[in-house]
Amino acid sequence: MVLKVFFPSCCSSADSGILIGRWISEQNSAVILAVVHFPFIPVQVKQYLGEVQRVTKVNVSVLGSWSNSKQEKEESMSEFLEDLGTIFCHEPWIQISKEGDSKFWSCSTLQKHSKNPQEEEIILVYYDQRKVMLSHLHPSLDTAGQRAEDASKLSAIFDTVARSQVLFMTDRYDEGPIKLTHWQSDGVEASIIVELMKQASVPACMLLTFLLSLLSGICRSRVLRFWPLSFLWSKLSTCEQLGHRLQHLQVISSNKKAQNQNQLMRKANIFVSLLIDVALGILLMSWLYRKNRIGHLADTLIPVADHVAEELQDLLQWLMGAPAGLKMNRALDQVLGRFFLYHIHLWISYIHLLSPFIEMILWYVGLSACLGLTVALCILSDIIALLTFHIYCFYVYGARLYCLKIYGLSSLWRLFRGKKWNVLRQRVDSCSYDLDQLFIGTLLFTILLFLLPTTALYYLVFTLLRLLVVIVQGLIHLLVDLIDSLPLYSLILRLCRSYRLAAGVKFRVLEQQDGKPLRLLMQINPLSYGGVVQTYRLPTYSCYPRDSWASLCKKLFLGELIYPWKHKGEKQN
């Protein structure tokens, strides 16, 4: 038989005493949880272990003795430790002794009440109690009483350590009759700070929950459902981002306890993401309001808008001539060119009308950076959409005209082949046409075919301009999605405390000596950085379209519109 003893490495320098832990008979294993130091009263130890069993539902008992000969002065101590087996009555009675500073320990078992005692091979497995406690490789503690425990798996070891939290509340500095050594032997870790934060967070969360419920009630009111407020709320990316952050704040301020590790990590990731977002926004706001950068930006914005308008006018003048040596339909070319030039003239007038108020608008917009960098980036995206609204109008006009001609040519082409589109059955059926219909169809097909190159050229030019604006907005929204969805807290944990994000365990064979038990070191395998991002990535509600290249090319060929925003509520995973 092979006996596995899981010994916490934090107890390797503990004073002599008795080993308390859990015996797992299915695995023939002993999980050592703590060392009780001398002096102690056996009755008080039994009463204390009974209370621990009642609270933790873990069968904790005295498994053996621990002897640290470096600190012993009496030769009879080893005999006394053996006699303790008759008091606590555990079979087998495990004896572990450390001689001086030697890393090779002696480990043996006593079976006084067994008629046929068998010599067992012992494997001593060292484990870091703190890492095992915080690795969350054990099952959920909330469902511990509802599940049928499978003691044949290694998770029983982790479950034993995780459910013994009450045992770790007593240490060797307590004034009580029982003094223990375990992973929190130097004092309960940050207990005072944690308790103060818990006490202070309760009223803060209640106040924040009340304010958020009031704000969400205003957002769901009927006033915002009327046009044009409902239209602006669904189209502006700033409103989408504010709604997204409002949901994040509701998750954080919720007084509902996290049910599992994933929910806890989700709350922590959202909290850290909000903190970093607001910190970056405040840094941006402090940079904008220094050295009158808002005024310089306002003075630069109008000349840039005029320069863009002049470039568009030059482009239209080039299209109204002979672009790249192409022969265009002069009448249609002049009509389209003058139509778009008139729109540019209206746009320039509109910009110069707003020029006295630009600096004041930017000054108030800059204050929104205190809500977070993502809100400021969304406002920038909306400003770009407003400043390039004339380009979007040109694109819509060109796309609609091009789409009309494409569908007209396809319909007339079916007329030549004696076909027609059946609207009721949604299919192409045969049809007989008379001579007048064929004659009119031929004339219309010829007109549309010869006007198509002129329309297609205008559509191509304005589509390229529109795609340029969409790419700029897409880069901004990619940065917003990165800040919103990146699990920053999980990545920081992976960098600083990788055992908190465990993917499994591994065993490393330590140096051996003849006549001594086999020594293994149990180590925690952390998740990879890619696994952390994939596991704990936050969902985003992006307002930017994510079409595939195939659907994008199809839209461009058919003249369908590429909308700058997605409809509200479409979730991007």
Side-chain angles (χ1 to χ4, degrees):
M1 293 289 292
V2 177
L3 173 64
K4 298 181 287 295
V5 179
F6 290 86
F7 192 87
S9 56
C10 58
C11 298
S12 58
S13 59
D15 299 338
S16 298
I18 55 175
L19 302 173
I20 61 175
R22 179 191 176 192
W23 174 256
I24 305 176
S25 57
E26 292 84 357
Q27 300 185 21
N28 198 30
S29 302
V31 183
I32 308 299
L33 297 174
V35 176
V36 179
H37 307 302
F38 296 116
F40 58 82
I41 301 175
V43 176
Q44 293 179 342
V45 173
K46 290 182 178 180
Q47 291 178 353
Y48 176 71
L49 294 182
E51 294 177 0
V52 172
Q53 291 181 13
R54 180 176 55 82
V55 175
T56 62
K57 308 300 181 183
V58 177
N59 189 17
V60 180
S61 59
V62 179
L63 301 180
S65 62
W66 160 255
S67 174
N68 193 344
S69 60
K70 180 181 178 180
Q71 302 175 5
E72 298 299 333
K73 298 180 180 179
E74 299 181 3
E75 297 179 356
S76 60
M77 179 58 68
S78 59
E79 298 179 0
F80 173 72
L81 293 175
E82 291 182 6
D83 294 337
L84 288 175
T86 60
I87 300 176
F88 293 101
C89 300
H90 183 272
E91 292 286 342
W93 181 259
I94 303 172
Q95 290 182 319
I96 302 176
S97 61
K98 177 183 177 183
E99 301 174 358
D101 295 331
S102 175
K103 56 186 176 181
F104 301 103
W105 301 350
S106 298
C107 188
S108 60
T109 59
L110 293 177
Q111 299 179 0
K112 294 183 178 182
H113 302 284
S114 177
K115 297 181 179 179
N116 298 318
Q118 298 179 355
E119 185 177 355
E120 294 182 323
E121 181 182 353
I122 299 176
I123 299 178
L124 195 58
V125 182
Y126 300 97
Y127 72 95
D128 192 324
Q129 205 169 39
R130 182 168 182 264
K131 293 182 179 180
V132 170
M133 182 71 186
L134 301 176
S135 62
H136 294 282
L137 282 173
H138 50 81
S140 176
L141 296 180
D142 296 334
T143 59
Q146 302 175 1
R147 75 187 189 285
E149 182 179 351
D150 188 0
S152 64
K153 295 182 179 179
L154 190 61
S155 60
I157 311 298
F158 290 87
D159 182 58
T160 301
V161 179
R163 293 166 63 186
S164 303
Q165 295 184 13
V166 177
L167 183 65
F168 302 140
M169 295 297 105
T170 305
D171 55 43
R172 59 184 177 181
Y173 296 107
D174 287 344
E175 297 180 356
I178 299 177
K179 302 182 184 300
L180 303 176
T181 293
H182 45 74
W183 71 283
Q184 294 198 109
S185 299
D186 296 329
V188 180
E189 194 177 73
S191 59
I192 299 178
I193 299 177
V194 170
E195 289 300 324
L196 289 177
M197 291 180 64
K198 286 182 179 179
Q199 295 296 329
S201 63
V202 173
C205 287
M206 291 179 62
L207 179 61
L208 186 58
T209 303
F210 172 73
L211 294 177
L212 290 175
S213 61
L214 182 62
L215 184 60
S216 60
I218 295 175
C219 294
R220 290 193 299 266
S221 62
R222 295 183 178 180
V223 178
L224 297 179
R225 297 180 183 178
F226 295 108
W227 195 89
L229 292 180
S230 60
F231 176 80
L232 293 177
W233 184 264
S234 62
K235 297 301 181 182
L236 292 180
S237 58
T238 305
C239 298
E240 291 284 341
Q241 180 62 23
L242 288 176
H244 185 41
R245 283 307 187 193
L246 181 61
Q247 293 179 1
H248 281 174
L249 288 174
Q250 290 176 343
V251 171
I252 294 175
S253 61
S254 175
N255 54 6
K256 185 179 180 180
K257 186 179 179 181
Q259 299 296 326
N260 49 41
Q261 172 71 0
N262 289 337
Q263 292 183 5
L264 179 63
M265 295 298 294
R266 181 172 182 266
K267 281 190 174 184
N269 285 323
I270 291 175
F271 182 72
V272 173
S273 176
L274 277 173
L275 283 183
I276 294 179
D277 187 19
V278 172
L280 292 176
I282 293 175
L283 287 177
L284 176 63
M285 186 174 63
S286 63
W287 179 83
L288 285 175
Y289 287 96
R290 288 180 182 176
K291 299 180 181 179
N292 196 25
R293 288 190 174 94
I294 294 288
H296 296 317
L297 184 61
D299 296 337
T300 308
L301 192 60
I302 300 300
V304 169
D306 290 338
H307 179 70
V308 172
E310 291 176 0
E311 292 294 331
L312 284 176
Q313 286 178 342
D314 295 339
L315 178 62
L316 288 173
Q317 293 292 342
W318 178 70
L319 290 175
M320 292 172 65
L326 297 176
K327 182 65 175 177
M328 311 292 290
N329 185 280
R330 184 167 181 80
L332 181 60
D333 193 12
Q334 293 295 322
V335 170
L336 292 178
R338 291 175 182 176
F339 176 75
F340 291 128
L341 284 174
Y342 178 69
H343 275 71
I344 293 177
H345 175 71
L346 291 178
W347 180 253
I348 294 176
S349 303
Y350 169 70
I351 291 295
H352 284 282
L353 185 64
L354 289 178
S355 57
F357 310 100
I358 291 294
E359 184 175 356
M360 182 180 63
I361 293 174
L362 291 179
W363 195 89
Y364 285 108
V365 166
L367 293 177
S368 64
C370 65
L371 299 176
L373 180 62
T374 55
V375 176
L377 290 175
C378 288
I379 291 177
L380 176 62
S381 175
D382 291 335
I383 290 176
I384 292 175
L386 292 175
L387 291 179
T388 58
F389 186 70
H390 55 305
I391 296 178
Y392 179 68
C393 291
F394 295 165
Y395 164 71
V396 171
Y397 299 151
R400 289 303 187 192
L401 190 58
Y402 174 78
C403 181
L404 179 63
K405 291 191 176 182
I406 288 294
Y407 281 104
L409 287 173
S410 62
S411 178
L412 293 173
W413 177 250
R414 287 194 294 267
L415 183 142
F416 288 158
R417 296 182 295 131
K419 305 286 185 179
K420 73 169 184 178
W421 175 254
N422 192 332
V423 180
L424 296 178
R425 298 180 178 270
Q426 294 293 310
R427 67 183 186 186
V428 178
D429 294 334
S430 299
C431 181
S432 59
Y433 297 96
D434 56 20
L435 186 60
D436 294 337
Q437 290 175 330
L438 292 174
F439 178 72
I440 297 297
T442 303
L443 290 179
L444 293 177
F445 183 84
T446 305
I447 294 172
L448 292 178
L449 183 63
F450 283 104
L451 293 180
L452 182 63
T454 304
T455 308
L457 183 61
Y458 276 88
Y459 168 68
L460 178 62
V461 170
F462 292 129
T463 299
L464 293 178
L465 292 176
R466 177 62 192 155
L467 285 178
L468 181 62
V469 176
V470 168
I471 289 173
V472 174
Q473 288 183 284
L475 294 176
I476 295 175
H477 283 282
L478 281 178
L479 183 57
V480 172
D481 288 348
L482 182 65
I483 298 175
D484 282 344
S485 63
L486 195 64
L488 297 174
Y489 178 75
S490 301
L491 291 175
I492 293 173
L493 273 186
R494 176 61 180 85
L495 184 63
C496 300
R497 296 186 176 184
S498 57
Y499 57 85
R500 293 291 300 273
L501 303 174
V505 295
K506 62 181 178 181
F507 294 90
R508 184 166 64 90
V509 180
L510 300 178
E511 186 179 355
Q512 304 300 317
Q513 188 180 25
D514 294 338
K516 301 294 181 180
L518 177 65
R519 302 188 307 140
L520 300 177
L521 177 62
M522 186 171 68
Q523 297 175 328
I524 305 295
N525 272 340
L527 277 173
S528 63
Y529 287 99
V532 171
V533 174
Q534 184 177 4
T535 304
Y536 300 107
R537 181 177 181 268
L538 297 172
T540 60
Y541 294 85
S542 177
C543 50
Y544 182 73
R546 296 181 179 179
D547 295 324
S548 62
W549 285 106
S551 78
L552 185 61
C553 293
K554 179 182 178 182
K555 286 184 177 182
L556 291 177
F557 177 75
L558 296 178
E560 298 179 2
L561 294 181
I562 304 174
Y563 290 100
W565 302 285
K566 293 188 79 68
H567 294 290
K568 184 178 180 180
E570 292 190 12
K571 184 176 180 180
Q572 300 290 343
N573 292 321

